Amino acid sequence: MPELPEVETTRRGIAPHVCGRRIDGLIVRQRRLRWPVPADLGQHLEGRRIDAVGRRGKYLLLSLGTGTLIIHLGMSGSLRILRRPDPPGPHDHIDLLLEDETRLRFTDPRRFGAWLWSAGTAAQHPLLATLGPEPLETGFNAGHLHALARRRRSAVKSFIMNSRVVVGVGNIYANEALFRAGIHPARAAGRISLARYERLVEAIKTVLREAIDQGGTTLRDFVDGEGRPGYFRHNLQVYQRGAQDCPRCGAVIRESRIGQRSSYFCARCQR
DNA sequence: AGAGGTACCTGGCAGC
DNA sequence: TGCTGCCAGGTACCTC
């Protein structure tokens, strides 16, 4: 699933094709996603023009003036621009029909994604109301992390994957950022110094920026707005590299489960 | 308040 | 080859 870099790659890919365009219709072939697609969604969309494509965490936000179409890609979702109405595959659940025959097609084999409507601004929607800061903005800093972590005993990896702490950091980039920062993923969040949180914040920002530059990470499903995969997979240093050599020190990369998620780390470099 | 487990889905893969 | 069990990029919701 798409983490922040994949969602941002999608946003950048679709924005030029949908911004300013009028919505002519909505085809919902499968209503049962993470939540049911609202039965009246099409009525909110048809005839409206898309003003902007924004992002908050892993949520894509299509602003229509009268409200916001909120799209989440879940674990396996992707959005593509179609210039002609290609016949839908079994997991092509939704087409947003735009003027000039353009379509925005939503594909999601696992159906953990979501298409929701928010009247007014997206920030008012309950799903977005409790989200933490954006990792690439200044509100995300070591002081914020260090203060929030006080007395918390959960693993720092689970801590930075908590969307109330910071948005957009999923399993791949949590593993990669902790490796770059030299912090053991199982270390209690409340037992990390401010100085080490400085390193972690820098690592998170850097790894996310680099991944965005590479068009995200494609493990299986992810494609950008043009149907192309992301290439950051070649830059992963620990994720899915259990039993291989640590690229920094040569020790064997270890694999374990933390908070029910696969975790990869070098026990020599990360403390 | 925080931590941990469960649930929602499909598909690919390893092992038998 | 086919079956079974496990695993996968997320996250809301429940219980303790």
Side-chain angles (χ1 to χ4, degrees):
Chain A
M1 168 314 66
E3 303 185 34
L4 185 147
E6 292 75 37
V7 178
E8 178 62 17
T9 295
T10 299
R11 188 193 70 75
R12 294 180 183 185
I14 68 172
H17 302 283
V18 306
C19 282
R21 287 252 164 82
R22 191 186 63 235
I23 297 171
D24 282 348
L26 181 75
I27 298 173
V28 180
R29 303 183 189 87
Q30 170 58 272
R31 202 164 282 287
R32 297 181 54 196
L33 303 180
R34 180 72 161 82
W35 295 278
V37 178
D40 61 353
L41 183 60
Q43 294 166 37
H44 288 298
L45 306 181
E46 280 164 33
R48 304 288 172 192
R49 227 167 256 286
I50 298 171
D51 296 331
V53 184
R55 178 187 58 73
R56 178 74 175 99
K58 298 172 190 168
Y59 294 92
L60 283 166
L61 310 172
L62 277 62
S63 307
L64 304 187
T66 52
T68 307
L69 171 60
I70 300 174
I71 300 175
H72 197 287
L73 301 179
M75 290 277 269
S76 58
S78 59
L79 289 169
R80 271 182 311 139
I81 297 291
L82 299 186
R83 274 111 187 162
R84 62 190 89 254
D86 296 342
H91 305 302
D92 293 339
H93 305 312
I94 302 178
D95 281 2
L96 188 68
L97 310 182
L98 304 173
E99 57 185 320
D100 308 335
E101 299 283 298
T102 303
R103 292 177 181 224
L104 182 66
R105 175 163 288 178
F106 176 69
T107 306
D108 185 9
R110 293 181 69 181
R111 303 194 347 240
F112 288 170
W115 279 55
L116 299 168
W117 175 251
S118 175
T121 71
Q124 297 163 332
H125 194 278
L127 283 175
L128 285 88
T130 61
L131 295 180
E134 288 289 326
L136 298 178
E137 293 180 6
T138 52
F140 177 61
N141 54 55
H144 163 78
L145 272 191
H146 188 252
L148 256 187
R150 264 178 66 89
R151 278 178 270 110
R152 290 218 200 182
R153 277 168 292 183
S154 73
V156 63
K157 176 162 176 273
S158 305
F159 180 65
I160 61 172
M161 289 176 69
N162 179 344
S163 66
R164 291 167 180 255
V165 174
V166 58
V167 296
V169 181
N171 200 35
I172 296 176
Y173 301 111
N175 278 297
E176 293 296 312
L178 287 163
F179 173 75
R180 291 179 181 221
I183 298 173
H184 195 294
R187 173 170 287 273
R191 301 203 50 197
I192 294 173
S193 68
L194 180 61
R196 300 190 78 205
Y197 271 123
E198 302 271 8
R199 283 191 69 187
L200 182 55
V201 165
E202 282 316 301
I204 289 170
K205 289 177 186 283
T206 305
V207 76
L208 293 179
R209 286 200 189 100
E210 289 179 7
I212 291 169
D213 288 344
Q214 296 290 309
T217 300
T218 296
L219 297 176
R220 182 188 305 278
D221 301 298
F222 177 72
V223 289
D224 70 10
E226 306 290 336
R228 297 174 302 217
Y231 295 102
F232 193 71
R233 181 139 91 117
H234 307 293
N235 296 257
L236 299 176
Q237 297 187 284
V238 290
Y239 185 77
Q240 285 189 346
R241 300 180 73 92
Q244 297 182 39
D245 294 344
C246 168
R248 184 182 298 147
C249 79
V252 173
I253 294 170
R254 304 251 297 267
E255 182 175 355
S256 70
R257 290 187 84 73
I258 296 169
Q260 280 105 255
R261 310 303 298 275
S262 289
S263 305
Y264 305 86
F265 58 94
C266 171
R268 189 187 292 172
C269 294
Q270 296 174 253
R271 302 289 171 146

